[in-house]
Amino acid sequence: MKHLSDAELMHRVLEKQRHALEELYDRYVNLVYSFALKSTRNQQAAREVVQLVFTRLWTTESGYDPLKGQFASWLLTITRNLAVDYARKERRRSTEISIEPEQWEQISDPRDNDPFETMSLERMKDRIRYAYRYLSESQAELIEQLYWHGYTLSEIARMNNEPIGTVKSRLHQSLKILRKHLLVEREG
């Protein structure tokens, strides 16, 4: 199975072929673990997130669509979402969990990627940095709290003593600015 592409392996995972999942695990466990560790800053939590990610691959019904992007990017999106969910659950269970990742260093561990993938991810990080500088301080803080720290919009509104409508409006404007500058960068 080592000769199969990630998309072919994922298709076989959807057919519940255990060896395909094992091959994807072997290919991506280091990347997923390093990403989860940077997100959670806790080895046990990172191991649990890795388990959740590969369980999600096994149980998903939708799967990966190669037309929408690279497999590693899709997998890291799942990892980020599960790490955020994990942090929220832990925050509810105990006192607040402090997740302070290095935002721009979270995207990959280049030692485990092929050169094209590493270059592509570095380019993506540069584009995000470029677009991020057009945000106001409050917009950048909102994006960080929501996407990197895992707070909900309601939690952010309570922390800032603001109406949720204000937070939603600021998020909408922030994403609009990021989208605009990411598209300008892509076209340029």
Side-chain angles (χ1 to χ4, degrees):
M1 290 208 173
K2 294 191 184 302
H3 64 281
L4 296 176
S5 71
D6 296 335
E8 292 168 321
L9 287 170
M10 193 59 209
H11 179 72
R12 290 181 181 204
V13 167
L14 291 174
E15 294 173 345
K16 301 301 180 211
Q17 294 183 20
R18 193 184 87 219
H19 295 296
L21 182 64
E22 291 170 352
E23 177 62 29
L24 286 174
Y25 181 88
D26 290 343
R27 286 183 189 182
Y28 290 102
V29 68
N30 291 335
L31 177 64
V32 170
Y33 177 76
S34 66
F35 189 93
L37 184 60
K38 288 176 185 176
S39 296
T40 62
R41 299 209 179 246
N42 177 306
Q43 290 181 348
Q44 181 60 33
R47 285 192 289 272
E48 289 181 38
V49 169
V50 168
Q51 183 177 6
L52 290 170
V53 168
F54 287 97
T55 300
R56 174 74 52 92
L57 290 185
W58 184 251
T59 59
T60 189
E61 293 179 11
S62 59
Y64 161 68
D65 182 357
L67 299 175
K68 292 184 179 178
Q70 297 178 353
F71 182 81
S73 300
W74 179 74
L75 189 60
L76 290 178
T77 299
I78 292 171
T79 305
R80 187 196 74 81
N81 292 343
L82 290 172
V84 166
D85 290 347
Y86 182 89
R88 285 179 181 157
K89 186 172 89 176
E90 288 299 307
R91 190 169 41 247
R92 282 186 210 114
R93 208 181 303 161
S94 63
T95 58
E96 182 143 336
I97 293 175
S98 176
I99 303 175
E100 298 180 13
E102 297 284 333
Q103 291 177 358
W104 311 117
E105 301 305 318
Q106 262 193 350
I107 293 182
S108 77
D109 182 355
R111 295 172 295 173
D112 297 323
N113 296 330
D114 64 34
F116 177 76
E117 179 73 14
T118 301
M119 188 173 66
S120 175
L121 291 173
E122 287 300 319
R123 176 89 171 116
M124 183 185 350
K125 289 193 302 189
D126 289 343
R127 288 177 49 214
I128 292 169
R129 277 190 196 107
Y130 173 81
Y132 207 76
R133 67 183 177 172
Y134 289 97
L135 298 176
S136 70
E137 186 176 328
S138 66
Q139 289 170 326
E141 184 178 311
L142 172 62
I143 296 291
E144 183 174 322
Q145 289 173 332
L146 184 67
Y147 291 106
W148 297 107
H149 293 277
Y151 291 105
T152 65
L153 291 174
S154 299
E155 290 171 329
I156 294 169
R158 274 194 304 274
M159 288 186 318
N160 295 331
N161 293 323
E162 297 177 324
I164 193 160
T166 301
V167 175
K168 287 180 179 180
S169 178
R170 187 178 322 119
L171 175 62
H172 175 75
Q173 291 302 317
S174 303
L175 294 175
K176 190 173 167 183
I177 290 168
L178 287 174
R179 191 175 304 116
K180 173 185 171 189
H181 290 287
L182 285 170
L183 287 174
V184 165
E185 175 70 14
R186 180 187 285 173
E187 292 170 359

